[in-house]
Amino acid sequence: MTHVSERSGTGSSPTGAGGDRQPWTAGNGRPARKRSVSYADAGVSIEAGDRAVELLKSKVKQTRRPEVMGDLGGFAGLFRLDTKKYKNPILASSTDGVGTKLVIAQQLDIHDTIGIDLVAMVVDDLVACGAEPLFLLDYIACGEVVPDKVAEIGAGIADGCRYAGCALLGGETAEHPGVLRPDEYDVSATGVGVVEESEILSPDRVEIGDVVIAMRSSGLHSNGYSLVRHVLLGAGRMRLDVVIEDFGRQRTLGEELLTPTKIYAQDCLKLIAEAEVRSIAHVTGGGIPGNLVRILPENVDAVVNRSTWKPQPIFDLIQSKGRIDDNEMESTFNMGVGMFAIVSAEDADRALATLTGRGVDAWQAGEIIEGTGKVQMVGQHTRG
């Protein structure tokens, strides 16, 4: 977030303090009213927006990359693409939001992590095709610009960009009174990355005998929250401040639900550099089967063995409270896996060592066999 939409000029009369004429005026010759209506009367505060931007500047600067040109406040962000690094550079782009996880943040009045979720949803889509995230543009729409709150949201976005290694190049904050309540907001972002054309990850690189590597999620990430809220907060009547013993460390339900989405971008880029990676799947809406199938050619199947990992307790809580069947859970949530990488069998050990060395909890979850482009989920998760 680097500027606020619908900026207006200062002054309420056609003549400035020094008596100079302003560039434009309109009137009908009638005597002026004692008090004119202002933009603030309609619910939009330019000053609050400017204050929010000022609070964020130091955070945004921490995401700066050498390719960034200029400073904050321009009409467009400028980024110099170093074409000498590539033979045939291909730009990749992704746009996303964080869905109704925002409702939990608003109910708890905690806003400094939702931006991490936003960045994760965008950059981990980019890296799935092998692209290095270069920069991100964000959009924040709110019912009322509260500078400290907007700065918290923006700080989370900046933190996410630092973790992903991309620049927060620009953005927009829009105040929408009458459309959103004063305490409501929504966020979205667009990211741009680059990949050498010959190194684009795609289904046609996947071969029979390849290994499926799973990378543990940090929890729910940013998908399925409409069902979560319905099951736990609606029908289940649970409170966000209740401590759930299974979560450990005196952790509340609200804290668990706001756990930031893990950002895998830099880990996956390192993995691509160190091992023969065929394709990568970011597990978001649609769960494991719905996303892993997107990176398979039509002549193979991916066999994923559930017994190789144990989902976090939050998934058990949701399933038991909502009496949700296994298929619905698996088609809605990531069930403990945030990313999959399909790698050559010869490089499986190297891939696992690379991820483990970077602190990523990763394991061999399955294999690629002859088939018809489907995902076969076998075995049962470890319980208890």
Side-chain angles (χ1 to χ4, degrees), residues 75-319:
F75 287 99
L78 300 176
F79 191 95
R80 180 187 290 107
L81 180 62
D82 185 1
T83 56
K84 295 179 181 179
K85 291 173 59 177
Y86 308 90
K87 294 180 179 179
N88 294 295
I90 302 296
L91 294 179
S93 63
S94 176
T95 297
D96 214 332
V98 296
T100 60
K101 188 172 185 176
L102 287 169
V103 176
I104 307 298
Q106 291 162 15
Q107 289 177 337
L108 291 173
D109 196 26
I110 297 174
H111 313 286
D112 59 350
T113 61
I114 209 72
I116 299 174
D117 294 294
L118 179 62
V119 176
M121 297 301 287
V122 173
V123 299
D124 286 340
D125 276 356
L126 292 176
V127 80
C129 71
E132 175 193 359
L134 297 176
F135 60 83
L136 184 133
L137 303 162
D138 70 291
Y139 180 82
I140 304 172
C142 51
E144 178 184 352
V145 171
V146 178
D148 289 342
K149 180 187 292 186
V150 172
E152 286 183 45
I153 300 168
I157 298 173
D159 285 340
C161 286
R162 285 195 298 106
Y163 303 153
C166 67
L168 180 53
L169 190 59
E172 181 81 356
T173 295
E175 198 165 23
H176 291 169
V179 177
L180 297 169
R181 295 196 306 267
D183 61 335
E184 286 184 326
Y185 62 86
D186 198 4
V187 296
S188 63
T190 296
V192 173
V194 63
V195 58
E196 184 69 61
E197 184 173 10
S198 62
E199 297 176 5
I200 296 174
L201 303 182
S202 63
D204 58 18
R205 299 176 61 152
V206 177
E207 300 177 1
I208 295 171
D210 286 343
V211 169
V212 179
I213 301 293
M215 296 173 235
R216 183 170 292 279
S217 69
S218 57
L220 290 170
H221 284 187
S222 299
N223 299 103
Y225 274 77
S226 293
L227 179 56
V228 170
R229 292 186 300 109
H230 172 72
V231 167
L232 300 185
L233 307 182
R237 298 183 178 181
M238 295 184 70
R239 291 172 41 181
L240 292 172
D241 61 355
V242 65
V243 174
I244 307 296
E245 184 177 345
D246 287 346
F247 295 165
R249 297 170 303 180
Q250 293 295 301
R251 190 171 173 83
T252 66
L253 176 61
E255 289 171 332
E256 179 65 31
L257 296 183
L258 278 191
T259 301
T261 305
K262 182 169 176 56
I263 295 176
Y264 302 91
Q266 290 297 306
D267 303 315
C268 287
L269 289 174
K270 183 65 173 177
L271 178 64
I272 292 168
E274 295 292 331
E276 182 61 38
V277 178
R278 313 290 199 192
S279 60
I280 291 176
H282 183 198
V283 183
T284 54
I288 292 173
N291 287 282
L292 191 53
V293 73
R294 297 164 65 181
I295 61 169
L296 299 179
E298 295 182 354
N299 66 320
V300 306
D301 283 359
V303 180
V304 176
N305 193 336
R306 300 183 187 93
S307 68
T308 60
W309 81 95
K310 177 182 177 181
Q312 293 90 333
I314 183 63
F315 297 105
D316 285 336
L317 178 65
I318 294 166
Q319 185 166 18

